[in-house]
Amino acid sequence: MDRNDLVCICKSVSYGKIEDAIDNGAQTYEDILEETEAGSVCGGCIERIEEILDRLVVK
Ligand code: FES
């Protein structure tokens, strides 16, 4: 995925914004929601966000 690719269309949240939120300490979908509002409209992107978290969050 490219940093400019939109993950959440409703809130125009790009992959880069999700990456930055994770770099800033976000570890769960709730953290991403709080920081970016991604997923707060139709919810269709939540699964994609969970997948990104699975890949990028160091456990
Ligand atoms: S695409 Fe993210 S809330 Fe609709």
Side-chain angles (χ1 to χ4, degrees):
M1 260 191 151
D2 190 86
R3 277 185 64 85
N4 292 325
D5 288 345
L6 279 187
V7 175
C8 176
I9 294 140
C10 298
K11 285 287 180 178
S12 294
V13 180
S14 63
Y15 180 72
K17 276 195 203 158
I18 306 272
E19 234 178 15
D20 291 346
I22 293 170
D23 281 347
N24 290 331
Q27 295 205 324
T28 62
Y29 166 67
E30 283 72 25
D31 296 339
I32 302 284
L33 173 64
E34 206 169 295
E35 197 151 323
T36 68
E37 293 186 355
S40 59
V41 184
C42 76
C45 56
I46 295 174
E47 205 169 304
R48 284 196 291 279
I49 296 167
E50 298 277 14
E51 278 168 22
I52 296 166
L53 283 162
D54 277 350
R55 262 190 293 123
L56 300 186
V57 172
V58 184
K59 294 181 183 128

